[in-house]
Amino acid sequence: MKNTKRNLKINGKLTLWAASILLILFFIYTMLQYFLVQNWIMVHEKSSLQKRMDEVVAYIQESDSAENISERQKYLKVLNEQDQMIRLVREDGHVVFTITDGIPKKWVPATFMTRSELIEKKITNETVLIYRKPLTVGEFQGTVEIIRNVEGFDSLIDQLLALVVSTGVVAILLSFVGGRIIAFQLLKPINTMIQSLKQIKGEGIDKRLPISEQKDEISELGIVFNDLMTDIEKSFIQQKQFVEDASHELKTPLSVIHGHLSLIKRWGKEDPQVLERSIELSLNETNRLIRLVSELVILSRVDETPSVSKSLTSEELTGIFQNIVENFKLLHKDASFSINCTFKNHFRVNISKNHLEQVVVILLDNAIKYSKEEKNVSISLLTANDRLVIEVKDVGVGIPEEELPHVMDRFYRVDKARSRKHGGSGLGLSIANVLLTQYKGTLEIDSVFNEWTKVSISIPLIKSE
Ligand code: ADP
């Protein structure tokens, strides 16, 4: 309901906008036409008046003497048109003759002029053109005046204005119809998209918007939306998988504990041996649960941890490795560790000590867990291509080639039984990978099944200024 309202609002707005723009354009166009036509008619009138003046002046100048000038008016009477007055004014202001057809003489006072002038004047609501031109015939000096009432022009302009106003009213109606059509056409693909989205909402997130052949903004929006849906679907599937895997992992130790508790309830109370063993095994499982939960917590928090932290120097790095190896030696007396460090220069890397320790412990722990009888782990620290490279190599069970791409997936274990026996949950490498990604680090695994495994990590060095 809300959507329909919003849609209507946009529809209304679009109609109004389109109609207003159409109307404004129409108005500007007609006004321009109106003024152009008005100007054009006036120019036309003036040039015809000038022609008439030239004829009149030429005709008067044909007189052989100043006395004969007034004789000329007979022919000029024939030449004169309706709503026009021809007047000859002498130097001293005396009117030699006036020929008029429909123009009162007093409208324009007789004026002698030594230069030509053409003026437009409004006299009692009528527009008149007054044209004065000096004239000399022998000793006679005078001015010819032609006054023309451009009444026809006025009525034409009035008609034009009436036309503009009446078409303006029609234009308002047409603009609204046009506006509605434009709004409808513009919103058509959006409405189709809304329909498809409603369908997607009903049918599930694996459905996609149909993309039209036309390459326009709407199809671009559709493509972006579909990409977004693919990402959401992917992360939704991953999330679902994670929850399923996590619940499965949590369920196994809980079922074991439940089994032992039932055993104790039935017989354990009387049999101290069963009691002892069941309690021990249950404790093992609770330890596993605690470890698993803390690993899950690390994974869920990793993205929130700020990646900028105190950097480590090359000296601090070697110190950290020596400490970790010392601790491992204490825990695994049957294992041997070798550290090969080939740093030539002093450098710094941007990673928190805590996170680096976490990653290294995961790698060493795996190296021991997946070693055979003989537990030889070699660690190499070197710099290459402006990166710190740490390699942990063991001569153990190795990883089959086809499994290599998956070992970094959450909960993925090549040999479930072996991993579980050592308390593995399949989260170690994914935690290490997520932690390293924060520092633009990489994690790569290379292995030959049943022979050796080498895990290499790299972190960019901080460039010294
Ligand atoms: P887990 O807790 O099971 O060790 P990891 O994420 O650390 O989980 O490792 C995933 C899987 O990769 C392990 O179950 C194991 O099968 C394999 N793996 C990891 N490191 C090694 C290694 N050094 N040698 C052989 N296999 C390994």
Side-chain angles (χ1 to χ4, degrees):
M1 195 61 202
K2 224 174 167 185
N3 277 345
T4 332
K5 259 189 200 168
R6 259 185 215 159
N7 185 20
L8 275 177
K9 240 174 143 185
I10 291 179
N11 200 345
K13 268 188 204 163
L14 261 177
T15 311
L16 212 68
W17 269 101
S20 313
I21 290 170
L22 282 178
L23 198 65
I24 291 170
L25 285 178
F26 184 82
F27 182 74
I28 293 173
Y29 176 72
T30 5
M31 281 330 266
L32 210 71
Q33 260 195 338
Y34 172 75
F35 285 114
L36 278 177
V37 169
Q38 191 185 32
N39 191 45
W40 179 80
I41 294 174
M42 201 42 128
V43 167
H44 183 74
E45 281 287 337
K46 281 178 181 172
S47 88
S48 108
L49 190 61
Q50 272 167 340
K51 254 190 222 154
R52 182 50 40 95
M53 174 62 95
D54 290 346
E55 280 169 23
V56 171
V57 169
Y59 181 67
I60 298 175
Q61 275 175 335
E62 275 172 19
S63 324
D64 33 15
S65 67
E67 291 75 44
N68 288 345
I69 289 176
S70 57
E71 302 287 308
R72 297 263 136 184
Q73 61 177 305
K74 278 183 217 122
Y75 174 69
L76 289 180
K77 243 180 207 153
V78 182
L79 195 76
N80 197 24
E81 293 166 20
Q82 207 191 344
D83 289 327
Q84 185 172 273
M85 176 163 91
I86 303 174
R87 189 160 58 188
L88 181 62
V89 187
R90 216 166 53 190
E91 204 176 355
D92 56 2
H94 169 75
V95 176
V96 181
F97 61 76
T98 306
I99 303 151
T100 178
D101 188 352
I103 299 222
K105 288 181 188 169
K106 56 179 184 340
W107 264 17
V108 182
T111 317
F112 171 76
M113 277 278 190
T114 48
R115 55 184 172 79
S116 300
E117 74 168 11
L118 174 56
I119 48 173
E120 195 184 319
K121 216 171 173 186
K122 269 247 172 266
I123 300 167
T124 56
N125 276 340
E126 309 274 355
T127 310
V128 289
L129 284 176
I130 307 165
Y131 192 14
R132 295 190 174 102
K133 196 169 182 179
L135 158 129
T136 315
V137 179
E139 279 163 23
F140 179 85
Q141 293 271 339
T143 300
V144 177
E145 289 182 318
I146 302 182
I147 294 115
R148 186 181 283 181
N149 184 353
V150 278
E151 188 197 6
F153 165 79
D154 274 351
S155 74
L156 190 69
I157 292 300
D158 286 349
Q159 276 173 19
L160 201 66
L161 195 67
L163 190 74
V164 166
V165 172
S166 54
T167 48
V169 176
V170 179
I172 294 178
L173 289 173
L174 283 180
S175 301
F176 272 96
V177 174
R180 275 217 79 84
I181 294 172
I182 291 177
F184 176 75
Q185 283 301 335
L186 280 179
L187 288 179
K188 204 162 105 181
I190 296 181
N191 284 331
T192 320
M193 194 176 250
I194 291 171
Q195 289 311 320
S196 309
L197 287 178
K198 277 185 185 156
Q199 214 177 336
I200 290 177
K201 197 180 161 212
E203 288 178 16
I205 57 167
D206 56 329
K207 295 282 172 301
R208 295 289 176 270
L209 277 180
I211 307 292
S212 72
E213 297 277 293
Q214 267 171 303
K215 287 268 160 289
D216 55 12
E217 285 81 354
I218 298 294
S219 70
E220 212 171 303
L221 185 68
I223 293 170
V224 173
F225 176 81
N226 282 352
D227 287 349
L228 188 76
M229 284 306 281
T230 308
D231 287 351
I232 290 176
E233 192 189 356
K234 219 165 100 187
S235 92
F236 178 75
I237 292 170
Q238 272 174 356
Q239 204 70 25
K240 203 168 150 233
Q241 186 66 40
F242 181 72
V243 172
E244 271 171 20
D245 293 344
S247 340
H248 181 77
E249 290 300 321
L250 291 168
K251 204 177 141 198
T252 319
L254 283 174
S255 315
V256 175
I257 296 170
H258 182 262
H260 285 295
L261 287 178
S262 313
L263 207 68
I264 295 170
K265 193 181 172 199
R266 253 182 277 156
W267 298 292
K269 277 175 267 178
E270 285 83 40
D271 188 340
Q273 243 181 332
V274 173
L275 186 69
E276 180 64 28
R277 185 159 165 71
S278 288
I279 287 176
E280 199 191 314
L281 290 174
S282 298
L283 274 176
N284 280 349
E285 292 305 312
T286 47
N287 282 339
R288 174 192 292 284
L289 271 178
I290 292 167
R291 205 167 39 239
L292 188 67
V293 170
S294 50
E295 280 177 339
L296 287 175
V297 170
I298 294 176
L299 267 180
S300 67
R301 283 210 187 134
V302 152
D303 296 338
E304 298 164 18
T305 337
S307 57
V308 182
S309 52
K310 204 177 148 281
S311 60
L312 295 175
T313 63
S314 38
E315 291 76 25
E316 282 171 327
L317 258 170
T318 20
I320 289 171
F321 272 86
Q322 271 154 3
N323 275 344
I324 298 176
V325 169
E326 283 307 310
N327 290 339
F328 263 85
K329 274 182 182 162
L330 281 178
L331 282 171
H332 306 278
K333 296 234 163 45
D334 53 342
S336 76
F337 296 87
S338 68
I339 304 186
N340 178 22
C341 181
T342 56
F343 299 149
K344 286 183 197 84
N345 303 317
H346 171 86
F347 62 83
R348 300 180 76 90
V349 279
N350 180 25
I351 185 164
S352 87
K353 182 175 177 247
N354 191 13
H355 285 165
L356 181 73
E357 279 174 348
Q358 249 175 301
V359 173
V360 175
V361 167
I362 290 170
L363 302 190
L364 291 183
D365 196 40
N366 279 353
I368 298 287
K369 271 194 302 196
Y370 305 107
S371 275
K372 294 181 195 160
E373 309 289 274
E374 206 181 317
K375 296 182 169 53
N376 290 331
V377 182
S378 48
I379 303 153
S380 305
L381 301 172
L382 55 131
T383 53
N385 302 327
D386 288 334
R387 294 181 85 88
L388 161 70
V389 180
I390 301 165
E391 293 172 351
V392 176
K393 189 175 176 185
D394 64 84
V395 276
V397 295
I399 304 167
E401 207 182 328
E402 64 278 10
E403 308 269 0
L404 272 176
H406 307 292
V407 287
M408 270 190 273
D409 295 351
R410 289 171 180 183
F411 299 108
Y412 194 88
R413 286 170 288 194
V414 177
D415 181 347
K416 268 199 179 272
R418 190 183 178 101
S419 163
R420 206 180 136 71
K421 195 176 110 202
H422 294 285
S425 55
L427 287 176
L429 288 180
S430 44
I431 291 177
N433 190 35
V434 177
L435 283 175
L436 284 167
T437 314
Q438 284 191 90
Y439 301 99
K440 298 190 177 68
T442 60
L443 191 152
E444 281 165 29
I445 306 173
D446 201 4
S447 180
V448 172
F449 185 52
N450 233 345
E451 287 188 23
W452 54 264
T453 304
K454 186 171 85 181
V455 185
S456 317
I457 63 169
S458 82
I459 309 157
L461 301 182
I462 299 176
K463 290 204 175 75
S464 51
E465 276 98 43

